[in-house]
């Protein structure tokens, strides 16, 4: 078993993406309203950002609200929007102080104005920061993102900015919301479900997937290390055979 301080040849992931699931069940187990689970979940977000900053994970992407989550009861949706706005208020100074760039992916047009305003200010304030990128996927859906990229490519072809023969994976990626992010190395899903739920469908092509039963509000530094240790124990082959990878290293 690896430990956080052991000398490992396998590198840490550069980009970790997390599907933060299980807030509702965390609350239900305690006979609390679901929103209390989301409130506790915000504390785990703080811990995860701190973990990445301390350990040199340069990109952290958090799935906070999917396009499908708009279908939840109105009271939960509005509670989540308020929490999000409070989270930005309470954390943005610390984020900025730590030289972290705040970033958003998703259909932000649909968000209420008070959330959009907070987001815009947070993006502007932290835009020059270099140490780490914290991306929040908000009103995000992987399929919608791919459709929107395809439409942008279509527009670029029509206007002559892009030639058909120049389209390849790298060029197509540049039309996605995640244009300035590398693909995730590690995806963590908490809460016990073994599915992707429309997250980063294009970008996860060769990401290592890690699923844990730990509910998001309980996901602490130790749980994060377990995911990292599992990641470091894997061999990423990208379609090649083991020997080709070993001879390279
Ligand atoms: C994840 O927790 C947070 C969001 C989707 C906003 P859930 O709210 O899905 O929690 P469970 O899955 O019901 O426990
Ligand atoms: C995925 O969780 C979305 C987020 C964590 C933001 P859900 O709880 O919405 O996913 P499903 O419905 O169980 O697939
Ligand atoms: Mg859920």
């Amino acid at each position: 078993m690896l430990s956080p301080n052991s000398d490992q040849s396998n590198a840490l992931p550069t980009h970790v993406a997390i599907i933060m699931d299980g807030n509702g069940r965390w609350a239900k187990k305690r006979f609390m309203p679901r929103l209390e689970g989301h409130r506790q979940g915000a504390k785990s977000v703080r811990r995860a950002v701190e973990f990445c900053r301390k350990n040199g994970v340069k990109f952290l992407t958090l799935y906070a609200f999917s396009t499908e989550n708009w279908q939840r009861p109105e009271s939960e949706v509005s509670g989540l929007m308020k929490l999000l706005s409070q989270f930005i208020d309470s954390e943005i100074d610390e984020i900025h102080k730590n030289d972290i760039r705040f970033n958003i992916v998703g259909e932000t047009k649909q968000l209420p104005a008070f959330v959009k305003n907070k987001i815009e200010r947070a993006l502007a304030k932290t835009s020059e920061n270099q140490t780490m990128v914290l991306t929040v996927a908000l009103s995000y859906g992987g399929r919608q993102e791919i459709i929107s990229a395809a439409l942008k490519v279509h527009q670029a072809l029509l206007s002559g900015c892009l030639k058909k023969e120049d389209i390849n994976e790298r060029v197509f990626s540049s039309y996605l919301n995640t244009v300035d992010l590398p693909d995730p190395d590690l995806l963590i899903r908490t809460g016990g479900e073994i599915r992707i739920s429309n997250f980063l469908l294009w970008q996860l092509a060769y990401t290592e997937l890690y699923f844990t039963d730990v509910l998001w509000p309980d996901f602490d530094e130790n749980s994060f290390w377990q995911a990292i240790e599992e990641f470091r124990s894997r061999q990423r082959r990208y379609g090649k055979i083991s020997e080709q990878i070993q001879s390279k290293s």
Side-chain angles (χ1 to χ4, degrees), residues 19-21 25 63-66 69 72 137 189 193 195 197:
I19 302 177
M20 310 182 290
D21 198 19
R25 279 163 285 161
Y63 203 8
F65 194 85
S66 71
N69 289 149
R72 290 193 178 192
R189 181 172 186 144
E193 309 296 355
R195 55 177 172 256
S197 302

Side-chain angles (χ1 to χ4, degrees), residues 55-185:
N55 294 293
V57 173
K58 201 149 165 38
F59 298 89
L60 175 65
T61 299
L62 302 174
Y63 203 8
F65 194 85
S66 71
T67 43
E68 290 73 27
N69 289 149
W70 288 112
Q71 301 169 72
R72 290 193 178 192
E74 210 275 322
S75 57
E76 179 160 345
V77 172
S78 62
L80 277 165
M81 293 300 146
K82 275 193 210 114
L83 265 182
L84 183 79
S85 142
Q86 284 164 8
F87 180 83
I88 297 177
D89 275 343
S90 65
E91 298 303 313
I92 202 65
D93 286 343
E94 185 73 9
I95 287 174
H96 186 49
K97 195 185 87 199
N98 287 325
D99 197 35
I100 299 171
R101 178 158 73 82
F102 182 74
N103 183 37
I104 291 279
V105 291
E107 307 269 326
T108 46
K109 285 196 293 289
Q110 287 190 49
L111 298 169
F114 73 97
V115 178
K116 276 196 278 201
N117 293 342
K118 291 263 159 68
I119 289 174
E120 268 155 38
R121 266 182 275 150
L123 293 175
K125 186 179 172 111
T126 64
S127 66
E128 305 289 317
N129 294 348
Q130 301 283 339
T131 301
M132 189 183 142
V133 181
L134 169 64
T135 301
V136 179
L138 201 55
S139 187
Y140 174 88
R143 286 185 168 181
Q144 293 83 347
E145 182 189 33
I146 292 170
I147 290 178
S148 136
L151 290 173
K152 286 182 207 156
V153 166
H154 174 70
Q155 204 49 49
L157 287 170
L158 284 182
S159 67
C161 299
L162 182 65
K163 290 206 273 314
K164 198 170 139 212
E165 53 275 24
D166 290 339
I167 298 176
N168 56 31
E169 288 179 16
R170 192 184 48 77
V171 169
F172 189 84
S173 297
S174 72
Y175 289 88
L176 296 168
N177 287 174
T178 48
V179 48
D180 45 4
L181 306 177
D183 287 344
D185 300 293

Side-chain angles (χ1 to χ4, degrees), residues 8 26 31 48 72 116 125 142 151 211 215 229 234:
Q8 281 308 310
W26 185 94
F31 307 100
R72 290 193 178 192
K116 276 196 278 201
K125 186 179 172 111
L151 290 173
F211 298 95
L215 303 173
E229 283 165 5
R234 300 211 190 150

